[in-house]
Amino acid sequence: MRVGETGGRASWFQRFLLPGFALKAVIIGGGYATGRELAEYFVPSGPWGGLAAMLLATVIWSVVAALTFALARGLGAYDYRAFFKGLLGPGWIVFEAAYIICVVLMLAVFGAAAGAIGAATFDWPEWAGSALLAVSIVAVTAWGTGAVEQMFKYVSILLYTVYGLLLVLALANFGGLIGQGFANAPPPSGNWMAGGLTYASYNIVGAVVILPVLRHLTSQRDAVVAGLIAGPLSMLPAILFFVAMMAFYPAIGAETLPSDFLLRQLAMPWFHILFQVMIFAALLESGAGAIHAINERVSGAVESRGRAPLSTGRRAVIGAVILTGCMFVAGEIGLVDLIASGYRFLAWLFLAVFVVPLVTVGSWRLLRGQAAAPAGRSE
């Protein structure tokens, strides 16, 4: 171990795996975990086209995460406002506006997914699942970065285990159908590149959302390695899920909850419940990551004025206010429409205000060594 930004001894896990687990946590959300995003952006391209799009998205995530982590460490910027003040100068406010839109949409999707899962699995009214998710997010984020990091760690273990088990059970029960799906599918063609680029673009904002966990990095090498690892860690569960889904291609692409459809085909009630619990945990870590980023941004502004960091109570109030509005949006619009329409808009938005400035201005600053003065916390 070596000494990290936190002043303690940074473990190998904190330096190299935690950023990837955190990025996966923010990305997986309501559409990835339920399979709805996979159905929207990858299934239309077929088995091989979908995998090709996923690999493209993985490469984009790795490259952008590596650049983001290296620039953040160079600037000493561990909340998104400090980062974008360092990258964009006065233009940081443009990202803030885009991120607020993103958070509203993300949390609305998470709320809609939690409501749909509660209704499908336990026959609850849809508001009950959404409310349970909101209360759980507030409870975790109120306790700050330490609690959020622990959640990322343990939920990730659960998530990788359950997705791996899903693939094993799917191969055992309808492996022939999966094999047929890939054997009869044409090579990648059509809009698979557009699907991969769109999916990568609106999700890569997660690299900025998770800046608080980068305090454990001890060098620029750590930052780059952690970023490159983050892409595959984030996409691996989706690939396992997608392969299992191909047993019922193309019909599964029209399902609102592909995960629930697949679990019904397995006809294993114990695993059905386990998988839905895992999805709820994935929604929790995604929502907590989004809210925690806002809490850290507000706390950074407060501390820069010589005041104490946000208390547990204030963090809880901020989370509760944001979540109340977002869950209302979820109930009014619905999961499929939120993913199909809103996320494509976000893809273009973040390409313009994050990815393009990062790979141009950010890369130039790193190459010129101009990202060496810590920015600290900003107002």
Side-chain angles (χ1 to χ4, degrees):
M1 297 183 184
R2 290 183 291 175
V3 177
E5 295 287 346
T6 54
R9 299 186 68 81
S11 69
W12 185 87
F13 170 82
Q14 290 172 320
R15 290 161 51 210
F16 298 120
L17 296 184
L18 179 60
F21 283 177
L23 181 61
K24 177 270 305 166
V26 174
I27 287 174
I28 194 167
Y32 175 154
T34 63
R36 186 57 238 167
E37 285 180 1
L38 308 187
E40 184 70 34
Y41 298 107
F42 303 127
V43 171
S45 299
W48 295 114
L51 284 179
M54 287 176 151
L55 293 176
L56 173 62
T58 301
V59 171
I60 293 171
W61 286 349
S62 289
V63 172
V64 174
L67 286 173
T68 300
F69 296 174
L71 185 61
R73 187 181 181 279
L75 294 170
Y78 299 112
D79 65 73
Y80 69 77
R81 186 176 186 186
F83 179 87
F84 279 97
K85 288 193 79 170
L87 177 63
L88 301 178
W92 68 266
I93 192 67
V94 178
F95 175 83
E96 177 116 71
Y99 183 64
I100 290 172
I101 295 171
C102 174
V103 167
V104 170
L105 181 59
M106 284 171 58
L107 293 175
V109 168
F110 302 164
I117 290 168
T121 307
F122 304 109
D123 201 26
W124 292 350
E126 291 207 357
W127 64 264
S130 299
L132 178 61
L133 177 65
V135 170
S136 301
I137 291 172
V138 171
V140 171
T141 55
W143 294 101
T145 300
V148 173
E149 288 183 357
Q150 289 299 306
M151 179 200 59
F152 287 159
K153 177 180 179 180
Y154 291 110
V155 171
S156 294
I157 293 171
L158 171 67
L159 189 145
Y160 289 120
T161 300
V162 173
Y163 273 113
L165 187 55
L166 170 67
L167 182 59
V168 170
L169 293 174
L171 289 172
N173 284 271
F174 29 78
L177 293 175
I178 294 173
Q180 274 184 348
F182 280 95
N184 297 333
S189 61
N191 292 326
W192 69 268
M193 293 186 67
L197 181 61
T198 301
Y199 188 67
S201 298
Y202 74 76
N203 276 303
I204 194 54
V205 69
V208 180
V209 174
I210 66 165
L211 291 179
V213 309
L214 301 185
R215 290 181 173 89
H216 303 293
L217 300 178
T218 61
S219 66
Q220 291 296 70
R221 174 183 171 275
D222 280 5
V224 172
V225 172
L228 294 177
I229 292 174
L233 282 178
S234 300
M235 187 61 82
L236 177 60
I239 292 175
L240 298 178
F241 194 0
F242 181 80
V243 170
M245 288 171 62
M246 289 301 98
F248 303 98
Y249 170 78
I252 198 168
E255 294 290 327
T256 300
L257 289 176
S259 60
D260 194 62
F261 174 84
L262 196 58
L263 293 169
R264 289 199 306 271
Q265 309 311 308
L266 283 172
M268 295 179 177
W270 65 271
F271 186 69
H272 196 145
I273 293 174
L274 175 62
F275 194 89
Q276 301 294 41
V277 169
M278 181 277 294
I279 292 181
F280 185 87
L283 297 173
L284 171 59
E285 65 174 359
S286 294
I291 295 295
H292 183 60
I294 294 176
N295 278 336
E296 286 298 287
R297 175 258 187 270
V298 174
S299 190
V302 169
E303 289 179 64
S304 71
R305 297 173 182 172
R307 301 176 186 173
L310 288 183
S311 65
T312 298
R314 290 183 178 180
R315 288 175 180 270
V317 169
I318 292 172
V321 169
I322 295 171
L323 285 161
T324 299
C326 293
M327 297 306 174
F328 172 78
V329 172
E332 292 297 308
I333 301 177
L335 181 63
V336 175
D337 290 339
L338 282 168
I339 290 173
S341 303
Y343 279 4
R344 283 188 169 86
F345 167 73
L346 283 179
W348 289 106
L349 193 60
F350 286 123
L351 273 175
V353 303
F354 172 36
V355 177
V356 172
L358 177 69
V359 299
T360 53
V361 176
S363 297
W364 181 78
R365 292 190 64 178
L366 284 169
L367 290 172
R368 293 288 299 270
Q370 294 179 358
R377 290 213 180 247
S378 56
E379 296 185 17

